[in-house]
Each structure stands twice: as structure tokens, then as C-alpha cells.
Amino acid sequence: MIRKNVVLITGASGEIGHGLIEKISEAGGSSIITIDLQPLAPEIKPLVTREFIGSILEDHLLQRILAEFEVETIYHLAALLSTRAEFTPVAAHQVNVEGTLKLLNFAQAQGESHARPVTFIYPSSIAAYGMPSGDFNRKVKEHEWNMPTTMYGCNKLYCEHLGRYYSRYFKQLAAETLSGKVDFRAIRFPGLISAMTVPSGGTSDYAPEMIHAAAKGEPYACFVEPDTRIPFMVMADAVEATLRLAAAPRESLNQTVYNITAFNPSASEIRDLVLEGFPGADISFDPDLMRLAIVDSWPADVDDSAARTDWGHAPRFGFEDGFSEYLFPRIREHYRS
Ligand code: SER
């Protein structure tokens, strides 16, 4: 029996997953299979070859995939985000760490069963950092301040190391024998803002929640302070960066983990811009101390020069055009329809 070549996306029905599926299928050439607890949106479902509904912790799902498909690239998106993980830390550890371990092990088995190494794309996060709050001038490099304060951040940082462990022979052997089986590449996302969906359970959610509430004409009380500042990026650029990292030639990558960012406004600057797009929007501030402490432990900016140099990270949208030209028109259209 010949197994079919595919791309596997876990957590596929989440925010990043939908964007990724659209882009991969637009480009053509790769069949997609997915795993998620939730079914894919009806408009996305026809774009995938096979949809597995279930948990990444269920071994039989991965065994079925191993038997039937030759997986070339894995986008392992399934995770419990930072706020949610603080309420259920053990469940978060199971999904975020044990789940990733299972996927890495699956990638190793896939790599052993076919000739090519498996590219493993892992979305990490600014949550992998933990640093004093209020330091707005520092652009943090990947190896600095790796002292996360949240379960989610600890999970992400540790899984970056697990990925490096699984690809440990890659660099030294790849040149001569291509013996490395897992080609692990992690991308540390900033807060992401989608025009189509509001994330759930994250702590950078105040930005997308603010915009989507304004578009719906609903009042919004922001759970951080007006001067809270972290890096952000619009979803289209996050998807583009993910695909660019996956496509980069291995020899151009000098590290396994890359920061990326596009802009880093304060919460009040976000509010001001949202008010320009939706005059009369009712946006106030009512900080939640637990969520504020999480965001305050994240860097106000990150240094993404390695991503720009090694694999050409170049976000299309900055803060103002990202909101006025990308987010606002799409969000208006989304709620109109
Ligand atoms: N967006 C994530 C969260 O808020 C951080 O990467 O949890």
C-alpha cells in the first residue's frame, strides 16, 4: 500500500489553523490532514483531505495517521493558551507538553518510515519570556529572560527544548547523510489579531476583543492598563511567517527558535486607533490583576532580526495600516455577513 503524502495540522480549527489551511490549499500541491477536538468551519472543511476529530493525546489517532499517511510537514498548533492554562495547569501541561511529546515522537516515527526528515513547525510565544514589567525600551533576544511565569510559558519554553532534543542529530548529520529525522523549527509569536475570530483563553486577547467588540457595537472593558505594551501582528502576517519558516532551506537556519513581531502599541494606542475606525465605540479599562501580571511579565518588544536575516521574515502590515487597511475592512465585512 502506498501512503499518501500530506501536511498534518493539529489544533486546526483554531485561529491560526484556519488561516494556514486556506493559504496551503490556495498554493496547491499539498494535501492537508487535520486533528482537532472541534470540527473545522464548514467553509474550511472542503479544503482538507481528512479531518480527524479528537485529541492529540489519543494514541490511536496518531497510529492511524502513521499507517495511512506519509507526513512531510507538521504544524503543531494545538495548545491551551496562557489565561486558561492558569486555571487548569495540569490539563494544560498534558495538552501542551505531553501532546507535543507525542507529536515529536510521531514525527520521529514518520521520519524513520520514509526517506525525508519531517519538518516540525512549532508555534511558541512571547509567553516563553518572564521579565520585570515596565521596561519598554528593551528588544529581547531569543536567549534572554527565559524565565516564564505562567504554566503556558513554561510549557512552550520546555517544548522548544524538546524539539531541539528531537532534532539533535540533525545539524551534524544532515550535511553528509541526511540522517536527522525531525527538522524542528519554532517561531515565537507575539499577540495575534485575526479579522475573523476572537481567540479564547489567551492573555493577549484584549487587542482582538477590543476591535471585535467595537465592530459589533458592544461595550468593552479592557483587562490590562492603558500603558500595557506587548508585541502584536495581524493573522495574515503570522500565517505568512509560518509558511516562510517551513519553506526555508535548512542550511539557512542558524537557530531552532525565532522571535517574530510587527508592531508593539500600548493598549491605549490600540484603543485610539479602534476609535478612529469605529467612532463612538465604548472602550474602558478595568484591569484584571491576574491577567495584567501575566502580560506585564512579557517583553514590550522582541528582537526579530534573526528571523529577518535567516528566513526573510518581513511582515506586510504595521500598526496603522494593519488596522485601517487589513483588520477594519475585513471585520466590518465579517459582521455584515
Ligand atoms: N497569545 C497567547 C496567549 O495570550 C500568547 O502567545 O496566551
Side-chain angles (χ1 to χ4, degrees), residues 92-320:
H93 191 280
Q94 275 161 354
V95 174
N96 296 350
V97 175
E98 289 169 38
T100 301
L101 181 63
K102 280 184 194 291
L103 261 299
L104 283 165
N105 214 35
F106 167 81
Q108 178 71 25
Q110 277 281 347
E112 280 164 10
S113 73
H114 55 75
R116 287 177 305 278
V118 175
T119 304
F120 194 111
I121 301 296
Y122 181 66
S124 187
S125 160
I126 43 168
Y129 295 106
M131 56 188 299
S133 65
D135 185 350
F136 294 151
N137 298 318
R138 198 192 311 250
K139 273 176 168 282
V140 183
K141 285 189 190 298
E142 285 84 352
H143 63 276
E144 296 174 326
W145 293 102
N146 296 145
M147 295 286 285
T149 59
T150 61
M151 174 55 87
Y152 173 77
C154 293
N155 297 164
K156 287 289 174 187
L157 184 61
Y158 173 59
C159 287
E160 291 175 1
H161 289 293
L162 273 183
R164 187 171 48 76
Y165 171 84
Y166 269 82
S167 60
R168 66 197 182 284
Y169 295 123
F170 201 91
K171 268 226 123 134
Q172 71 233 50
L173 296 181
E176 285 163 25
T177 63
L178 282 180
S179 314
K181 300 299 177 199
V182 182
D183 181 358
F184 178 84
R185 307 171 179 201
I187 195 165
R188 279 195 195 147
F189 282 128
L192 300 181
I193 311 174
S194 160
M196 309 310 280
T197 47
V198 186
S200 70
T203 322
S204 58
D205 296 3
Y206 60 90
E209 283 174 2
M210 200 186 283
I211 310 170
H212 282 258
K216 288 190 279 185
E218 293 173 359
Y220 183 68
C222 180
F223 59 78
V224 297
E225 299 274 17
D227 67 352
T228 300
R229 186 182 293 276
I230 58 168
F232 281 102
M233 176 177 283
V234 300
M235 189 57 80
D237 279 333
V239 168
E240 171 63 30
T242 305
L243 293 171
R244 225 176 248 206
L245 177 60
R250 178 70 241 180
E251 57 281 6
S252 66
L253 303 181
N254 293 302
Q255 49 199 61
T256 45
V257 178
Y258 288 93
N259 283 338
I260 61 164
T261 186
F263 45 85
N264 70 327
S266 68
S268 71
E269 287 165 352
I270 297 174
R271 177 179 183 272
D272 292 347
L273 212 50
V274 173
L275 283 171
E276 278 179 28
F278 300 96
D282 178 358
I283 303 167
S284 56
F285 286 88
D286 182 14
D288 173 294
L289 291 185
M290 175 240 185
R291 298 183 96 181
L292 181 61
I294 294 176
V295 181
D296 274 350
S297 74
W298 294 348
D301 203 358
V302 294
D303 180 337
D304 64 2
S305 52
R308 289 173 191 260
T309 307
D310 285 5
W311 48 272
H313 170 56
R316 224 176 108 205
F317 294 103
F319 180 39
E320 295 193 355

